[in-house]
Amino acid sequence: MWNKRRTLVSSALAVTLFGGLLAGCSDNGNGGNGGNAGTTGNAGNGGNKGNAEANGDNAASSNKPVTVKILHNWNGSSAGDVDMTPIAEAIKEKTGVTVQFDYTKGSEVEKVNTIFATQDLPDIYTGPAWGGELDGIVKAAKEDQLVDLAPYLDKYPNLAKEIDKENVPPALYDKAIGAFGDKKYLLYQNQPASDKDALDWLYGFYVRKDIAAKVGVDPQSVHTKDDLYNFLKKIKDAGLQENGLPVIPLGGFHAGWAVGIGNMMFYGSDYIDKGDGTLEHTFMSKQYEEYTLYYRKLISEGLLDQEAFTQTDPIANEKIKQGRIAVLAAHYPAILDASKDYVKAHPGSDYVPVGPLDRAGAEADRPADLAIQGNNVTVITKKNKNVDASLKLLDFLASDEGFKLVHYGIEGVHYDMVDGKPVAKKEMFDKFNADTTGKAKKNEGFGIGFESMSGLDRTVTLGGDIWADQDRIAAMDNARKILRPNGIKVISAYAAGDVLAKSPQYESLKPSMDQITTVWQQAIFTKSDAAALKVINELREQMNKTGYADAIKYVNENLKGKEVVTLQMPN
């Protein structure tokens, strides 16, 4: 995102755990869609397969050149300055497919809902594998707006592999991949192919090293809620300025991403144990009120950027480039990318980890609970008239050859094989490293969207990140030692939010729950604590009226005796 691949939370967790953090097509015609043979009729998979094979859209088998439009639904993603990059040309040579990307500039959830509501559809959609984005895709599948891929998968083994049950987190499989019986509407990308391929994005609070020194605070001495508040207040009281403008103690990126991760100090996940073995949604808890009032205090005292929830990514990045944000909340790669220009011009101003902060309900020696999983689901819409060609493209991207191409480039041009491993050509490495805009890599075809559809994540298995500079690797390793002193633990327990989504009340309850992020933001900008709680309680009442009590009863009945996620960190 950017590549702000946020978290790997369930649908409700994306609403709650990050409450307040987050937030190209042509005319569609379902009639005469030759690419939808696999979804027509009711003959079952056997009949669909026959239809698929009789399909007139055999551009893939005939090698007829086709153009496929792909919506890359990640806010902040973009292309370079050239229409066809060397990597895109190589993909076209291999598959016969020319790709035209469209990118999302606003809310990913709003985008996915809008395209299906208006029928302004791409040929292929790829986007987040969680939250409201995933809900929108599952809804589209239920409404028969997507191509059933089951009749095709025997021809595309790489795609079949990425949605094998063993390669998909159980909750996601139950909710999306395997939720439609014999039909398969969703593909799933970037799930680690092995344990060593698992990626921790190191979400947390990071402070400019020089600012921490100016206010006389060791960032690693900050552990509690009070510590963090006092640290931000010291920065505010120091009256620091950059280019005549005040330094903001705490900031984030677009639409408030991800300033709200301080919620980890108040509650462990989107559902908490009430103390009697039953669960309640965190929004209904006392802890959520404390979390809200803490952030209201940050806003009211000028410790948190007043524009954090309304700014765009370019505006957020400009503040960072100006040196105006003391503490940033996000994952570390995004912070390293955004601060690169300023650090280069001001040596010693690197962002370094704050903490580790205490986690609500977690023992001091507990490993970081992370739900490591992939980050993209990809579907083919019924607008697509070249289904086989599209699947050929996706299958190639998911192959080892395709994975290497989109991550490492063209052998002999971008990298060489040395002792069986890819090694970046020095001239390319230096060129990319010297370019603080990122356009040099994009103009070659890196980071424009192809990686999102490259199947199981084999980055470490196939050779590692050959483009990461040594300073970046050292910074990540140092942050990992600080923020993950006890290592990580991959979550395998049941997520209550996934069970809630299956409750009979979910459809009526969901519109109320979808307001949690917005209401939280409203609450922290109120004039008083009482006013903030009033805003929270009004939505609680609405949730109760729309079925919350019965839905949470359903959750507790279905999870009785099972291990449930009550501690989870963003990653």
Side-chain angles (χ1 to χ4, degrees):
M1 142 177 143
W2 282 312
N3 201 0
K4 293 170 187 168
R5 304 282 200 242
R6 299 171 293 210
T7 70
L8 337 99
V9 287
S10 63
S11 58
L13 182 55
V15 172
T16 317
L17 182 57
F18 296 98
L21 318 196
L22 315 166
C25 309
S26 58
D27 291 339
N28 175 61
N30 286 333
N33 184 355
N36 296 332
T39 65
T40 57
N42 296 312
N45 280 345
N48 285 349
K49 184 172 182 178
N51 287 341
E53 289 171 347
N55 182 358
D57 90 353
N58 288 322
S61 57
S62 67
N63 290 321
K64 177 184 175 182
V66 299
T67 296
V68 171
K69 296 183 179 180
I70 300 178
L71 171 60
H72 191 256
N73 192 28
W74 288 98
N75 186 352
S77 60
S78 65
D81 297 320
V82 296
D83 290 334
M84 283 294 286
T85 68
I87 289 175
E89 289 284 4
I91 291 170
K92 180 181 178 181
E93 290 176 11
K94 288 289 184 178
T95 66
V97 177
T98 298
V99 173
Q100 291 183 358
F101 277 111
D102 184 24
Y103 302 97
T104 297
K105 301 305 179 187
S107 163
E108 291 98 340
V109 175
E110 182 178 335
K111 184 69 172 181
V112 70
N113 290 330
T114 298
I115 63 171
F116 288 106
T118 63
Q119 293 295 291
D120 187 15
L121 297 168
D123 297 311
I124 297 174
Y125 165 96
T126 189
W130 48 72
E133 299 92 339
L134 179 61
D135 289 344
I137 291 299
V138 170
K139 181 174 182 287
K142 291 177 179 178
E143 295 174 347
D144 197 29
Q145 299 205 61
L146 307 178
V147 174
D148 174 17
L149 305 178
Y152 302 86
L153 291 177
D154 59 343
K155 294 196 298 182
Y156 301 106
N158 297 311
L159 302 183
K161 184 176 181 180
E162 69 185 39
I163 58 171
D164 278 347
K165 198 168 186 177
E166 64 181 17
N167 293 325
V168 182
L172 180 62
Y173 191 89
D174 291 347
K175 179 177 181 176
I177 306 298
F180 306 99
D182 292 333
K183 295 184 177 182
K184 294 289 183 286
Y185 294 107
L186 289 77
L187 299 172
Y188 181 56
Q189 288 92 16
N190 308 123
Q191 175 72 6
S194 65
D195 288 345
K196 67 180 182 180
D197 290 302
L199 176 62
D200 176 7
W201 290 82
L202 295 172
Y203 268 88
F205 293 91
Y206 293 80
V207 64
R208 278 218 344 239
K209 186 164 54 177
D210 58 325
I211 290 179
K214 286 178 182 177
V215 299
V217 175
D218 176 2
Q220 274 71 72
S221 70
V222 178
H223 300 293
T224 68
K225 298 185 281 284
D226 288 342
D227 289 344
L228 181 61
Y229 167 78
N230 291 330
F231 185 27
L232 296 175
K233 194 168 188 312
K234 274 198 171 186
I235 295 171
K236 173 74 173 178
D237 292 345
L240 304 176
Q241 291 193 340
E242 288 281 353
N243 297 318
L245 296 171
V247 169
I248 301 167
L250 173 61
F253 289 83
H254 75 280
W257 184 78
V259 295
I261 55 176
N263 56 10
M264 293 180 295
M265 300 182 290
F266 294 87
Y267 52 85
S269 73
D270 58 333
Y271 287 78
I272 61 176
D273 191 323
K274 293 166 64 176
D276 59 1
T278 62
L279 301 169
E280 74 173 346
H281 195 285
T282 302
F283 183 71
M284 298 296 198
S285 70
K286 182 69 174 177
Q287 293 92 320
Y288 196 88
E289 295 177 2
E290 294 170 351
Y291 158 61
T292 302
L293 297 183
Y294 182 88
Y295 270 80
R296 198 198 76 79
K297 186 176 183 180
L298 298 184
I299 286 287
S300 64
E301 296 186 12
L303 305 182
L304 173 58
D305 188 355
Q306 304 286 312
E307 299 175 345
F309 302 100
T310 56
Q311 67 188 2
T312 63
D313 243 25
I315 291 174
N317 278 291
E318 185 60 27
K319 291 177 181 176
I320 297 166
K321 289 179 180 179
Q322 292 173 351
R324 294 186 57 214
I325 307 296
V327 177
L328 269 170
H331 63 52
Y332 206 19
I335 292 172
L336 291 172
D337 288 343
S339 62
K340 187 175 181 179
D341 285 351
Y342 189 84
V343 172
K344 186 175 181 179
H346 303 82
S349 63
D350 319 58
Y351 280 92
V352 296
V354 175
L357 297 173
D358 293 344
R359 298 170 55 204
E363 301 88 350
D365 60 350
R366 184 182 178 98
D369 302 86
L370 304 176
I372 300 289
Q373 69 175 56
N375 44 41
N376 268 61
V377 293
T378 299
V379 298
I380 296 179
T381 74
K382 282 198 167 180
K383 178 236 172 163
N384 193 314
K385 293 182 171 60
N386 296 290
V387 174
D388 261 313
S390 298
L391 289 169
K392 182 179 180 181
L393 166 71
L394 294 171
D395 192 69
F396 172 73
L397 294 176
S399 69
D400 283 356
E401 181 183 3
F403 188 95
K404 289 178 180 177
L405 175 61
V406 301
H407 286 82
Y408 304 143
I410 300 167
E411 185 176 356
V413 176
H414 300 104
Y415 75 96
D416 294 314
M417 294 299 293
V418 180
D419 296 329
K421 294 183 178 181
V423 176
K425 281 188 168 292
K426 186 177 185 304
E427 59 269 28
M428 282 293 180
F429 185 94
D430 291 344
K431 176 183 177 181
F432 295 162
N433 195 45
D435 173 36
T436 59
T437 69
K439 285 292 183 72
K441 289 188 76 173
K442 288 179 180 290
N443 288 340
E444 295 297 317
F446 298 105
I448 63 173
F450 288 117
E451 295 95 332
S452 297
M453 300 172 288
S454 57
L456 296 173
D457 186 1
R458 289 148 284 166
T459 302
V460 176
T461 300
L462 292 179
D465 184 357
I466 67 173
W467 303 112
D469 63 61
Q470 294 304 305
D471 289 341
R472 186 187 184 94
I473 291 173
M476 291 289 288
D477 287 345
N478 180 64
R480 188 171 291 107
K481 291 174 184 176
I482 294 170
L483 297 180
R484 307 289 187 249
N486 305 305
I488 66 171
K489 176 186 177 183
V490 178
I491 294 172
S492 59
Y494 286 88
D498 293 315
V499 178
L500 184 88
K502 296 179 181 179
S503 70
Q505 299 78 23
Y506 183 65
E507 289 302 319
S508 61
L509 177 61
K510 183 178 181 297
S512 299
M513 294 184 67
D514 284 347
Q515 297 179 48
I516 290 176
T517 296
T518 300
V519 165
W520 181 81
Q521 292 179 15
Q522 291 173 352
I524 67 174
F525 279 95
T526 56
K527 301 285 187 183
S528 68
D529 286 356
L533 294 179
K534 183 176 184 291
V535 172
I536 294 293
N537 284 325
E538 286 173 351
L539 181 56
R540 286 172 171 172
E541 291 176 10
Q542 183 177 329
M543 287 173 60
N544 282 322
K545 290 178 181 177
T546 53
Y548 170 76
D550 288 334
I552 197 66
K553 181 180 178 182
Y554 176 91
V555 168
N556 281 302
E557 288 174 349
N558 282 272
L559 289 177
K560 189 174 182 179
K562 296 179 180 178
E563 184 184 0
V564 180
V565 177
T566 55
L567 285 170
Q568 178 168 334
M569 298 182 70
N571 68 305

